[in-house]
Amino acid sequence: MRTEARIDLGAIRDNVAALADRAAAGARVMAVVKADGYGHGLVPSARAAVEGGAAWLGVAFLEEALAVRDAGIDVPLLAWLTTPGEDRSAAVAAGVDLGVYDLAQLEESAAAARATGRTARVQLKVDTGLARGGAAVADWPDLCAAAAKAEASGEVSVTGVWSHFAFADGGADHPVNGEQAKVFAQALEVVERAGLRPEVRHLANSAATLTAPATHYDLVRPGLAVYGLSPVPQLGTPEQYGLRPAMTLASTVALTKRVPAGTGVSYLHRYTTERETTLALVPLGYADGVPRSATNLGPVQLGGRRRSVAGTVCMDQFLLDVGDDEVAAGDEVLLFGPGTSGEPTAQDWADALGTINYEIVTRVGARVPRTYA
Ligand SMILES: *Cc1c(COP(=O)(O)O)cnc(C)c1O
């Protein structure tokens, strides 16, 4: 093993079970497995989530949905981000629910239904305040009316109505979230008046799943929490929410060498040794998802101690200054994990780099093999 991302599928199962327990009465879990399962592997994560009790799966793109179906996973599945002209027919044939934001997407879904001879399952999205995907509130009545008409023709079935919060880390109390929940409730009245009777209404991301039970409706739609990270680190740790981080990123020291005091280290010499010391070379770089902004900052555990990246993170490698500690080529380096053996967590990386834990796990590169246990 040079480098691997060790994925604890038991943690994913347990996290989904914990989220299902936390969901308000009547609400089930749609586990979000987009972006290669937040870096943990799409199909293995999807399987583990279903084993943990996820009734639905959610992804962004059609090809992600088709990869889930190709793996033989047949639970209800929503894909919510498409561009004009994409092949919706394959998704309709595979029984994938399509997110629909406007009349054009509704019509493309109906066309896919005509092409395949199957009803297109669509889930209408209303923009309640994120100003990203979804129909503007002003356009919502027209979209609902057109969907009702398409449903009457048998071409589409409106299986869901949904929206998404702007303050993923704001906790339950953020006033914008409260405002969005109100707009969603009003949008549901429009749905009702249009004669639509969707199976599922859903709004809650990880943060709302953990902190805002009034927003759970029929489904909660957590992503990050499935992988055991806290979406609201300022409010609670994974442990406090009954979650366990599922990814450990491990590498191996490739080389050590003694260098004198005053040695400039790595590109641009942004680190200089203060005394004679040992440098350890770690074969992992920004092409593998270690941000270059981790230069002189990224925390790692090596030889039972926490250390920081020394100097610039390169494409394939970075260095550590280990002083006079007994460190040798072949020793294991832990970048992050659940934190139970003293190693840093993805949250520690996010805090050190001024980003969010989402970005730390999702950017682990394709060159890093995932191993599953
Ligand atoms: C990514 C995403 C989610 C999951 O968000 P988390 O904050 O990871 O729980 C839910 N819904 C939509 C529309 C998303 O894009």
Side-chain angles (χ1 to χ4, degrees), residues 168-172 207-208 210-211 224 229-237 241 357:
D169 58 352
L210 295 174
T211 65
L224 186 78
L229 300 176
S230 174
V232 284
Q234 76 284 13
L235 299 180
T237 62
Y241 289 117
N357 50 13

Side-chain angles (χ1 to χ4, degrees), residues 32 34 38 80 125 132 162 164 205-206 221-224 358:
V32 177
K34 64 188 180 186
Y38 286 48
W80 54 68
K125 184 177 193 186
R132 203 176 69 176
W162 61 293
H164 193 48
N205 56 9
S206 290
R221 211 172 59 235
L224 186 78
Y358 291 75

Side-chain angles (χ1 to χ4, degrees), residues 200-236:
V200 287
R201 304 155 298 164
H202 48 107
L203 180 57
N205 56 9
S206 290
T209 301
L210 295 174
T211 65
T215 65
H216 289 185
Y217 289 96
D218 306 306
L219 280 180
V220 293
R221 211 172 59 235
L224 186 78
V226 165
Y227 308 97
L229 300 176
S230 174
V232 284
Q234 76 284 13
L235 299 180

Side-chain angles (χ1 to χ4, degrees), residues 101-338:
Y101 302 170
D102 66 7
L103 294 173
Q105 294 181 0
L106 181 66
E107 174 45 34
E108 282 204 38
S109 303
R114 292 190 291 273
T116 56
R118 288 189 54 164
T119 302
R121 296 170 55 92
V122 302
Q123 299 211 12
L124 307 180
K125 184 177 193 186
V126 58
D127 175 12
T128 53
L130 177 58
R132 203 176 69 176
V137 167
D139 300 328
W140 184 243
D142 281 353
L143 181 60
C144 289
K149 219 170 136 195
E151 196 167 68
S153 78
E155 288 176 344
V156 314
S157 167
V158 177
T159 53
V161 173
W162 61 293
S163 190
H164 193 48
F165 282 124
F167 285 78
D169 58 352
D173 300 335
H174 198 285
V176 172
N177 283 351
E179 191 51 42
Q180 285 191 257
K182 243 185 255 165
V183 174
F184 189 63
Q186 288 159 1
L188 289 175
E189 290 170 18
V190 174
V191 168
E192 178 96 34
R193 283 200 296 275
L196 298 169
R197 298 290 177 270
E199 293 163 30
V200 287
R201 304 155 298 164
H202 48 107
L203 180 57
N205 56 9
S206 290
T209 301
L210 295 174
T211 65
T215 65
H216 289 185
Y217 289 96
D218 306 306
L219 280 180
V220 293
R221 211 172 59 235
L224 186 78
V226 165
Y227 308 97
L229 300 176
S230 174
V232 284
Q234 76 284 13
L235 299 180
T237 62
E239 200 177 0
Q240 287 167 325
Y241 289 117
L243 305 171
R244 208 156 88 232
M247 185 191 293
T248 298
L249 182 59
S251 191
T252 305
V253 174
L255 176 80
T256 61
K257 72 177 141 197
R258 290 296 282 181
V259 297
T263 300
V265 175
S266 191
Y267 288 133
L268 312 178
H269 286 181
R270 291 198 285 196
Y271 181 85
T272 304
T273 58
E274 282 176 7
R275 60 184 75 83
E276 183 183 316
T277 190
T278 299
L279 297 177
L281 175 66
V282 182
L284 201 66
Y286 59 77
D288 304 298
V290 179
R292 194 163 180 274
S293 62
T295 294
N296 287 333
L297 287 176
V300 304
Q301 178 172 262
L302 166 60
R305 284 185 53 181
R306 288 280 189 102
R307 310 165 192 282
S308 300
V309 170
T312 301
V313 174
C314 311
M315 188 182 293
D316 316 303
Q317 47 199 309
F318 66 83
L319 291 144
L320 297 169
D321 178 347
V322 302
D324 296 328
D325 294 353
E326 291 209 3
V327 166
D331 287 359
E332 181 183 70
V333 182
L334 294 180
L335 281 84
F336 59 81

